[in-house]
């Protein structure tokens, strides 16, 4: 087991994250063995069952049925037996876990913190998944560029017939995602890849709402009377922050990582080709630190993990000097070097 | 002789010795400015050894003595410089070369200084065999490791960062 972790906090209400990652087939095989049975699955699912994190941050929160998941970004197995998922592959997934609770009907749990989650089998009743999973192939390098801007959101009673989610949802957070230099939300590239449904894709294509907001909105559309949902937004807790995981390290499978950059306090639209090329070259390789990303934002990343030596020592060479990582377990140099498809 | 002075130092005490002459060590030269500094420090050291340096405070003001072969402080001017461009590859602690990581440097092979007072010439030459590699890209195969620690290089012209990726190992804690 190897991981790096810091207890220092960083403002993640707006963030841009660039990370190169590669997941061995052997890790997929192990994670597949932990894939929950959608029929007998306990509610909520234990963290990282069927999933492999590449980043995790923030604490877990105790709720009635057990702890919440922390925030994490990684891959999750898309259950081939599910007619909704139609998957059978590992696909991109994430969960943003807040520590504040919106006002909502009691059956959705009072005091349960809000979360924005995509691509994850949560339990048999609520499958917040991509209709078209974004496969993440094993034993190949991938580049993830994800950005968000967290804001409050609300729902309102369904106005009549013929409406959709956007007719009952107000506000919402904004999430931008690109994988391997392809934008996946908003104005996807290609357009058929717009897969963030049903929790995402509102408000110009990049609007995301929390899971409970979605459930309330869904019932409103179904003409089930519900009190309006309201949530004031963040903050998005960041501590502890770990790569590939800061918690549940018993579920930490082998992953390869390279070139991590985090810019706090800003968000960027990954639909913009020039934004993606701040981090990935046209030939599918990392843009060196100090390259176009830094120049475009006129500052260094707050967290930068670059080079084998820095990774192994957990040495952040970004702008936040005070934020350094402790390193644990086995962290070895890996080849090939990051390049899409290698 | 009743008033003869008594030595205040008993035999059990070490006899105070004369303060050692302080000779400033020459700095380790790593670039052109430090090379010039090192040369000047060495010249000062020589002057002190032959008695024409700065006088000890308790010996009164020093009177400059014109001596044959010494004409005062040198003023070195760089007169000529020979450089070559070399690609230096990374070498890990096990002395294994890594061609994926390299730095192209413009290396100083020699510099000739001339003292404007004495017309003396100081010639510094890189004292390692010429690896026979010229031009960025190391057409001759480049150098692995170490030389960067000892070379004088005036400019880094290009760098390829290798060794970006790590694997976080398997297993439970």
């Amino acid at each position: 087991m190897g991981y790096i972790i810091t207890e220092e906090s960083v403002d993640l209400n707006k963030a841009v994250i660039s990370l190169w990652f590669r997941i061995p087939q052997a890790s997929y095989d192990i994670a597949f063995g932990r894939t929950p049975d959608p029929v007998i699955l306990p509610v909520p699912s234990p963290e990282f069952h069927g999933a492999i994190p590449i980043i995790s941050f923030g604490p877990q929160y105790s709720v009635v049925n057990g702890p919440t998941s922390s925030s994490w970004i990684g891959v999750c197995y898309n259950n081939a037996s599910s007619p909704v998922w139609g998957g059978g592959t590992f696909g991109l997934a994430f969960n943003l876990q807040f520590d504040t609770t919106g006002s909502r009907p009691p059956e959705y749990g009072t005091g349960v913190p809000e979360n924005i989650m995509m691509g994850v089998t949560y339990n048999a009743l609520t499958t917040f998944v991509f209709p078209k999973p974004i496969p993440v192939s094993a034993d190949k390098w991938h580049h993830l560029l994800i950005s968000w801007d967290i804001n409050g959101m609300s729902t309102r009673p369904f106005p009549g017939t013929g409406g959709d989610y956007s007719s009952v949802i107000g506000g919402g957070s904004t999430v931008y995602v690109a994988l391997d230099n392809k934008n996946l939300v908003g104005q996807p590239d290609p357009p058929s890849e717009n897969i963030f449904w049903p929790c995402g894709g509102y408000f110009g294509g990049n609007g995301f709402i929390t899971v409970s907001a979605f459930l309330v909105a869904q019932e409103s559309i179904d003409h089930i009377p519900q009190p309006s949902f309201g949530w004031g937004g963040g903050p998005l807790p960041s501590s502890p922050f770990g790569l590939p995981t800061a918690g549940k390290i018993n579920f930490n499978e082998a992953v390869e990582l390279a070139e991590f950059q985090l810019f706090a306090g800003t968000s960027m639209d990954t639909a913009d080709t020039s934004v993606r090329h701040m981090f990935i070259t046209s030939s599918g390789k990392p843009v060196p630190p100090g390259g176009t990303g830094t120049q475009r934002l006129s500052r260094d990343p707050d967290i930068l993990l670059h080079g084998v030596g820095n990774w192994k020592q957990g040495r952040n060479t970004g702008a936040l000097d005070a934020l350094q990582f402790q390193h644990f377990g086995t962290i070895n140099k890996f080849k090939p070097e990051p390049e899409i498809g290698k | 002789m009743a008033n003869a002075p008594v030595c205040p130092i008993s035999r059990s005490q070490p006899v105070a010795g004369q303060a050692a002459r302080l000779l400033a060590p020459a700095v380790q030269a790593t670039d052109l400015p430090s090379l010039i500094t090192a040369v000047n420090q060495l010249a000062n050291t020589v002057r002190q050894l032959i008695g024409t340096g700065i006088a000890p405070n308790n010996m009164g003001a020093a009177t400059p003595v014109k001596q044959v072969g010494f004409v005062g402080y040198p003023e070195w001017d760089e007169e000529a410089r020979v450089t070559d461009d070399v690609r230096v590859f990374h070498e890990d602690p096990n002395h294994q070369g890594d061609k994926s990581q390299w730095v192209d440097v413009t290396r100083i092979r020699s510099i000739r200084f001339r003292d404007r007072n004495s017309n003396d010439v100081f010639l510094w030459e890189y004292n390692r065999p010429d690896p026979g590699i010229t031009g960025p890209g190391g057409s001759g195969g480049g150098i692995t490791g170490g030389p960067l620690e000892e070379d004088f290089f005036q400019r880094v012209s290009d760098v390829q960062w290798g060794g970006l990726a790590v694997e976080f190992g398997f297993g439970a804690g």
Side-chain angles (χ1 to χ4, degrees):
Chain A
M1 167 193 61
Y3 62 100
I4 61 174
I5 185 172
T6 180
E7 301 292 336
E8 297 291 331
S9 294
V10 58
D11 178 8
L12 291 182
N13 266 27
K14 290 183 180 180
V16 177
I17 289 176
S18 168
L19 176 63
W20 291 81
F21 70 98
R22 193 176 188 272
I23 302 175
Q25 181 62 51
S27 294
Y28 277 173
D29 293 342
I30 293 175
F32 175 78
R34 292 201 305 262
T35 301
D37 185 323
V39 177
I40 62 172
L41 183 70
V43 179
S45 163
E47 187 173 34
F48 300 151
H49 275 203
I52 299 174
I54 54 176
I55 308 169
S56 79
F57 51 92
Q60 296 178 281
Y61 301 98
S62 295
V63 295
V64 174
N65 294 315
T68 66
S69 167
S70 65
S71 294
W72 64 275
I73 301 170
V75 296
C76 186
Y77 183 69
N78 294 282
N79 194 333
S81 65
S82 166
V84 176
W85 289 37
T89 61
F90 279 87
L92 189 64
F94 66 81
N95 177 60
L96 302 180
Q97 181 64 54
F98 303 92
D99 61 356
T100 54
T101 303
S103 61
R104 58 185 179 227
E107 58 264 38
Y108 298 121
T110 56
V112 178
E114 299 296 325
N115 67 312
I116 294 175
M117 182 172 65
M118 292 306 305
V120 180
T121 296
Y122 199 63
N123 58 46
L125 301 177
T126 57
T127 53
F128 298 99
V129 298
F130 309 126
K132 183 179 180 182
I134 294 298
V136 177
S137 54
D139 295 325
K140 301 288 184 187
W141 279 108
H142 299 278
H143 176 249
L144 173 68
L145 183 60
I146 185 169
S147 178
W148 58 73
D149 181 358
I150 302 301
N151 294 289
M153 57 198 71
S154 61
T155 67
R156 50 184 176 265
F158 187 60
T161 58
D164 56 15
Y165 288 100
S166 61
S167 65
V168 297
I169 296 171
S173 297
T174 310
V175 180
Y176 309 93
V177 184
L179 182 70
D180 297 345
N181 201 21
K182 288 184 178 178
N183 190 51
L184 299 178
V185 294
Q187 299 175 17
D189 171 25
S192 60
E193 297 293 331
N194 192 350
I195 41 67
F196 283 87
W197 179 93
C199 279
Y202 305 111
F203 323 121
N206 292 96
F208 278 69
I209 57 176
T210 67
V211 171
S212 54
F214 167 73
L215 293 175
V216 174
Q218 192 175 43
E219 295 212 330
S220 293
I221 288 176
D222 292 341
H223 302 281
I224 299 174
Q226 291 288 359
S228 293
F229 171 89
W231 179 59
L236 180 56
S238 65
S239 175
F241 191 107
L243 293 148
T245 175
K248 294 290 183 185
I249 56 177
N250 287 351
F251 296 114
N252 177 17
E253 306 307 338
V255 297
E256 289 101 32
L257 302 179
E259 194 66 17
F260 174 77
Q261 298 185 64
L262 186 150
F263 294 85
T266 187
S267 62
M268 305 187 81
D269 188 349
T270 56
D272 185 340
T273 304
S274 67
V275 167
R276 302 199 297 272
H277 282 304
M278 289 165 50
F279 303 98
I280 179 172
T281 67
S282 56
S283 59
K285 295 180 179 179
V287 173
T292 54
T294 301
Q295 293 164 9
R296 175 81 171 262
L297 292 167
S298 298
R299 65 181 176 100
D300 293 329
D302 296 288
I303 302 177
L304 171 63
L305 289 155
H306 171 84
V308 172
N310 290 330
W311 274 106
K312 293 175 77 168
Q313 295 300 317
R315 188 181 301 119
N316 169 29
T317 56
L320 287 177
D321 292 337
L323 191 154
Q324 298 297 331
F325 293 85
Q326 291 183 283
H327 57 95
F328 297 96
T330 304
I331 306 173
N332 290 324
K333 182 177 181 178
F334 179 80
K335 287 197 170 184
E337 295 293 339
E339 183 178 351
I340 297 300
K342 290 285 183 73
Chain B
M1 300 296 289
N3 294 325
V6 176
C7 179
I9 301 173
S10 71
R11 290 187 178 181
S12 61
Q13 292 175 297
V15 176
Q18 184 176 2
R21 172 171 288 182
L22 296 178
L23 298 176
V27 300
Q28 180 70 41
T30 57
D31 54 15
L32 180 57
S34 60
L35 178 63
I36 295 173
T37 300
V39 169
N40 286 330
Q41 285 181 326
L42 286 171
N44 280 333
T45 299
V46 170
R47 275 197 302 277
Q48 289 187 48
L49 289 174
I50 65 176
T52 58
I54 299 171
N57 289 335
N58 63 345
M59 297 296 287
T63 301
V65 177
K66 183 74 174 179
Q67 292 188 5
V68 176
F70 185 77
V71 292
Y73 291 95
E75 294 182 85
W76 297 106
D77 294 320
E78 180 180 333
E79 197 173 63
R81 177 184 300 209
V82 177
T83 64
D84 56 15
D85 295 328
V86 176
R87 173 164 295 181
V88 181
F89 294 108
H90 173 68
E91 182 180 276
D92 68 18
N94 297 320
H95 305 291
Q96 298 297 310
D98 180 358
K99 293 286 179 81
S100 69
Q101 302 182 74
W102 46 259
V103 55
D104 281 343
V105 299
T106 300
R107 187 178 57 183
I108 301 172
R109 291 209 62 82
S110 68
I111 305 180
R112 188 170 70 239
F113 297 94
R114 186 175 297 276
D115 178 10
R116 62 177 65 172
N117 296 321
S118 67
N119 209 36
D120 285 347
V121 171
F122 176 90
L123 178 64
W124 178 88
E125 288 183 297
Y126 184 56
N127 64 356
R128 288 192 164 196
D130 186 345
I133 303 160
T134 57
S139 57
I143 303 170
T144 298
L148 265 183
E149 300 172 1
E150 301 175 28
D151 276 4
F152 293 90
F153 59 92
Q154 64 179 15
R155 191 170 75 93
V156 174
S157 54
D158 196 9
V159 175
Q160 174 165 296
W161 297 107
L164 295 179
V166 290
E167 180 174 65
F168 289 82
F170 269 110

